Amino acid sequence: MIQKAAQAKHVSQATSLLEDETMFLLPLVKELLRIPMEFDVSRIMKDTSSKMLDAFVDSVFKFVDQPYLPSQSNFLPVEEIGRDIMIDDIEGQIPTDFPMGVYIRNGPNPLFGGLKTAISWFGQSSHCWIEGEGMLHALNFIKDSQECWTVFYKNRYVETETFIQEKRKNKPSFLPALEGNSPAILAAYVLNLLRFGTVNKYISNTNVFEHSGKLYSVAENHLPQVIDFNTLETITPLWDIDGAWKRPFTSHPKKAPGTGELVIVGLDAVKPFFVLGVVSADGKKLLHEVDLKIERSTLCHEIGITQKYNIILDCPLTVNLKRLIKGGPLMKYDKEEYAKIGVMPRYGDAESVRWFEVAPHCTFHILNCFEYGDEVVVRGCRALGSIIPGPEFGHDKTEWFSRGFQSAALNEATGDINIEYGHFFSRAYEWRLNMMTGEVKEKYLTGTSFSMDFPMINDKYTGIRNKYGYTQVVDSIASSNAGKAKYGILAKLDFEELATTPKKEQVNSEELIKVEYHKFEKNSFCSGATFLSKHGQQHEDDGWIICFVHNEETDTSEVHIIDTNHFESKPVAKIMLPQRVPYGFHGAYFPKSVQQQKLHGA
């Protein structure tokens, strides 16, 4: 009855709008009258169709700014500077053995003031908090012959094809197509496709990575953009591996230990849902491509690797067009659905994947994977639900976050799977998959005191057994108040040492690992943390964590350098930035030696 009433309301609204010629028909007529008397038919037809569609969207859809709370101020976008600004305010000292290079963090920086909601007689659709055009923030570290450091800051948009299209129009143009009610999202899909050739913007706002001396910016819904290390300029064309890769590209490709080959995946909303590829170490050839014949479009944000295997997470966070057409959400986490982890040889096919059934979960980020005897060990940050895309449409996001970041300990202790709280409280977790017997052992590695995500390790240990990992830790209260995730602590995980004394907040009897914490100042939160090895490191944890930090009381942003051997101590250096840097996603440090690979023919 409710659905029929809603449909009747949409029909009524549609009739009203169609009767209003000044709103709908007149702009179309005006555009038609501009057609010249002599013209190239095909060109003008295409141009006229585009203008008619633009006029229709302008008439029927209204873009509204999504409101921001005071606690969300550092999620607001900033202006692009695009040039180097020398920094002369540094507290502490940049270590002399810190490598020269550039630290870059990606993140959403919406055009035209912020995220939008589009309202029409189809209903309304909204940008999700993960959307927004990609903006790179970079610190360039230069050392002279006297061991003196000079640091420069710059920021710059990732200029994707759709970024250029919308900037030329100088107004919001792409209709939101991820979060909203079904008719509005379907309308957005069709109209975006007709007007721009794609159903959604190419945001390129999630991660940055290097392969064979080249820098790339990437998000799940498109190919990587090539970026100039020094200028942050977007370089054309896109990286499609010499035309061989024609699909979206994972935000977290992995370099295979030993060979330097890059393992990638491409997800899509239509079959084939999941395609895996292996790129040559020089980045010039697609050595292997295979459809894994997964039966649903699962949002696998990250792939894992070991020395021999590729690791696939098949979680019940899915994109389903049929569900959308029937009136349901496009993207949904369904806790009643199955979860599996697949293990396949590096160059295997769909039949070679060994699937292990595991407890339902949502894991966006993997800490590491490695082989250990007959077992493949997978470690990641596991939650009982998904923080993406957000609450069901119309629900209060602040309330939703408040429930979601409460500790899930009570639900787990009582065995209640119909969880109300803690559904995206994320903890370090381990799966042990026995390749001989098919047995699965899984357990939490950290307790219920803190939710953590955005993990990182010493990347020299990617795919092989490692002892240490690092994560960003959620400030549950600040996140609940803001309705968006904020990270107020860093954690260092020791996988081979148990916690000395159980904390009173822990309600289960599992043995939990040792964790150290690096706490920021009050009302200060970080993003883009990454691990950087010391030159000539003797141990796995010989290095630094470098991250962007924003102080909400002073509204100032800094970059902190933290010695991982003295993790709980103050940063060795705090670099004061010339402007505010909004919270973002993943960052990476690229030493000069990596940037110069291409110059030496690597």
Side-chain angles (χ1 to χ4, degrees):
M1 292 294 293
I2 294 174
Q3 186 175 6
K4 288 183 179 179
Q7 290 174 343
K9 182 179 179 182
H10 290 319
V11 171
S12 175
Q13 290 173 329
T15 303
S16 175
L17 284 173
L18 287 171
E19 289 174 349
D20 189 351
E21 291 184 0
T22 60
M23 177 179 290
F24 176 46
L25 295 177
L26 190 58
L28 302 186
V29 174
K30 287 181 178 179
E31 291 298 336
L32 289 171
L33 291 175
R34 293 177 184 175
I35 299 176
M37 295 301 294
E38 297 179 10
F39 55 90
D40 179 306
V41 175
S42 61
R43 180 180 64 81
I44 294 299
M45 285 295 290
K46 183 177 180 181
D47 184 56
T48 302
S49 297
S50 175
K51 290 182 178 180
M52 290 175 67
L53 285 166
D54 285 349
F56 174 76
V57 170
D58 290 343
S59 299
V60 174
F61 291 84
K62 180 181 180 181
F63 285 91
V64 178
D65 287 322
Q66 293 182 22
Y68 280 81
L69 300 170
S71 58
Q72 298 172 337
S73 61
N74 198 45
F75 290 94
L76 284 165
V78 293
E79 294 296 319
E80 178 184 70
I81 296 176
R83 58 182 175 83
D84 284 326
I85 298 178
M86 190 170 72
I87 296 172
D88 55 10
D89 189 357
I90 299 176
E91 180 182 315
Q93 290 187 334
I94 301 172
T96 55
D97 55 350
F98 195 79
M100 286 198 294
V102 59
Y103 171 47
I104 304 175
R105 199 223 64 199
N106 207 342
N109 199 83
L111 277 169
F112 312 120
L115 299 174
K116 307 295 181 184
T117 294
I119 303 172
S120 71
W121 45 267
F122 295 106
Q124 67 183 70
S125 60
S126 299
H127 287 130
C128 179
W129 62 276
I130 61 171
E131 296 181 279
E133 285 73 15
M135 176 175 276
L136 304 176
H137 298 264
L139 256 68
N140 200 353
F141 292 81
I142 301 171
K143 185 168 61 174
D144 63 20
S145 59
Q146 305 299 314
E147 301 289 319
C148 294
W149 286 99
T150 303
V151 182
F152 294 94
Y153 166 82
K154 72 157 63 80
N155 70 341
R156 194 159 187 170
Y157 274 111
V158 182
E159 297 188 356
T160 66
E161 177 186 349
T162 59
F163 170 90
I164 294 170
Q165 287 176 313
E166 197 159 29
K167 192 171 182 181
R168 282 175 180 164
K169 290 180 179 293
N170 199 32
K171 64 181 179 179
S173 302
F174 275 85
L175 298 170
L178 179 60
E179 180 182 303
N181 38 8
S182 179
I185 293 180
L186 285 169
Y189 259 55
V190 172
L191 290 167
N192 286 344
L193 188 62
L194 290 173
R195 297 167 72 211
F196 303 108
T198 178
V199 298
N200 214 336
K201 291 190 284 190
Y202 303 140
I203 50 180
S204 197
N205 68 7
T206 308
N207 199 11
V208 285
F209 69 94
E210 172 273 331
H211 189 60
S212 187
K214 289 186 177 180
L215 173 66
Y216 301 96
S217 169
V218 69
E220 239 86 40
N221 71 340
H222 199 40
L223 291 164
Q225 302 279 163
V226 187
I227 303 294
D228 185 282
F229 272 111
N230 296 313
T231 66
L232 301 186
E233 179 184 1
T234 305
I235 302 170
T236 55
L238 293 157
W239 188 41
D240 60 4
I241 316 168
D242 200 22
W245 189 258
K246 298 177 173 63
R247 298 178 59 81
F249 197 103
T250 178
S251 294
H252 294 281
K254 292 291 173 62
K255 284 190 181 182
T259 68
E261 295 167 345
L262 196 69
V263 182
I264 63 176
V265 296
L267 312 177
D268 211 333
V270 296
K271 287 187 175 181
F273 295 129
F274 192 112
V275 174
L276 182 140
V278 182
V279 183
S280 61
D282 62 9
K284 296 179 180 178
K285 294 181 180 178
L286 184 64
L287 303 176
H288 186 57
E289 182 179 13
V290 57
D291 172 11
L292 295 189
K293 300 180 181 178
I294 292 178
E295 291 301 315
R296 61 186 182 182
S297 178
T298 182
L299 184 60
C300 182
H301 181 62
E302 185 163 11
I303 188 168
I305 58 169
T306 71
Q307 289 180 305
K308 295 191 300 185
Y309 300 114
N310 308 317
I311 311 300
I312 301 105
L313 302 181
D314 185 0
C315 302
L317 174 61
T318 58
V319 176
N320 191 317
L321 293 175
K322 290 182 180 178
R323 183 172 61 213
L324 176 67
I325 292 169
K326 292 178 180 178
L330 174 64
M331 185 182 295
K332 179 183 178 181
Y333 178 81
D334 189 345
K335 62 179 180 291
E336 305 299 331
E337 284 287 330
Y338 65 87
K340 297 189 295 184
I341 298 179
V343 181
M344 66 174 286
R346 181 79 72 240
Y347 286 85
D349 56 20
E351 287 67 38
S352 72
V353 183
R354 180 79 177 274
W355 289 105
F356 296 82
E357 291 190 10
V358 297
H361 65 98
C362 185
T363 299
F364 286 113
H365 296 116
I366 292 172
L367 274 152
N368 199 20
C369 308
F370 57 90
E371 300 152 39
Y372 186 69
D374 294 336
E375 294 179 324
V376 169
V377 180
V378 181
R379 292 170 178 156
C381 293
R382 176 187 184 271
L384 298 177
S386 174
I387 198 171
I388 296 173
E392 292 184 12
F393 194 72
H395 288 195
D396 181 80
K397 292 188 179 184
T398 306
E399 180 187 352
W400 181 78
F401 262 79
S402 181
R403 294 198 314 268
F405 276 123
Q406 297 295 321
S407 170
L410 181 60
N411 297 303
E412 294 165 14
T414 60
D416 182 6
I417 62 171
N418 298 311
I419 55 172
E420 171 86 18
Y421 295 93
H423 47 286
F424 46 80
F425 191 96
S426 179
R427 298 162 62 185
Y429 200 80
E430 179 180 272
W431 296 267
R432 288 184 173 265
L433 316 173
N434 194 303
M435 298 295 290
M436 296 296 291
T437 66
E439 181 184 12
V440 177
K441 296 178 182 178
E442 48 184 304
K443 66 177 181 179
Y444 286 110
L445 298 176
T446 57
T448 58
S449 300
F450 296 108
S451 176
M452 58 182 65
D453 207 343
F454 287 85
M456 68 214 95
I457 64 169
N458 182 333
D459 60 12
K460 295 177 182 177
Y461 288 79
T462 299
I464 61 176
R465 185 178 178 184
N466 66 311
K467 183 178 181 183
Y468 299 103
Y470 310 87
T471 68
Q472 297 179 182
V473 176
V474 173
D475 184 316
S476 294
I477 296 176
S479 299
S480 297
N481 291 337
K484 296 178 185 288
K486 294 182 180 181
Y487 299 87
I489 301 174
L490 294 172
K492 176 180 177 179
L493 314 179
D494 187 331
F495 300 116
E496 296 182 3
E497 186 172 342
L498 299 179
T500 52
T501 55
K503 293 182 172 60
K504 63 180 180 180
E505 296 93 338
Q506 296 165 0
V507 298
N508 56 30
S509 59
E510 294 182 67
E511 295 179 326
L512 304 176
I513 63 171
K514 177 183 177 181
V515 183
E516 296 178 65
Y517 296 102
H518 179 91
K519 298 181 180 181
F520 299 109
E521 295 177 0
K522 184 179 179 181
N523 292 328
S524 294
F525 308 99
C526 73
S527 66
T530 190
F531 179 90
L532 174 63
S533 295
K534 292 180 181 178
H535 179 70
Q537 65 171 48
Q538 297 297 313
H539 302 285
E540 180 188 338
D541 65 335
D542 283 346
W544 301 276
I545 297 291
I546 184 170
C547 60
F548 284 87
V549 178
H550 182 74
N551 185 315
E552 295 191 351
E553 290 189 355
T554 61
D555 197 30
T556 55
S557 296
E558 306 168 346
V559 165
H560 290 194
I561 300 174
I562 300 151
D563 189 331
T564 51
N565 281 311
H566 305 281
F567 192 72
E568 296 184 337
S569 300
K570 292 182 179 180
V572 296
K574 293 181 180 180
I575 302 165
M576 315 303 168
L577 300 179
Q579 76 162 15
R580 179 176 65 84
V581 175
Y583 302 126
F585 299 137
H586 297 281
Y589 193 93
F590 305 99
K592 275 294 184 192
S593 57
V594 169
Q595 300 175 45
Q596 293 168 349
Q597 285 181 28
K598 188 170 175 17
L599 298 177
H600 293 84

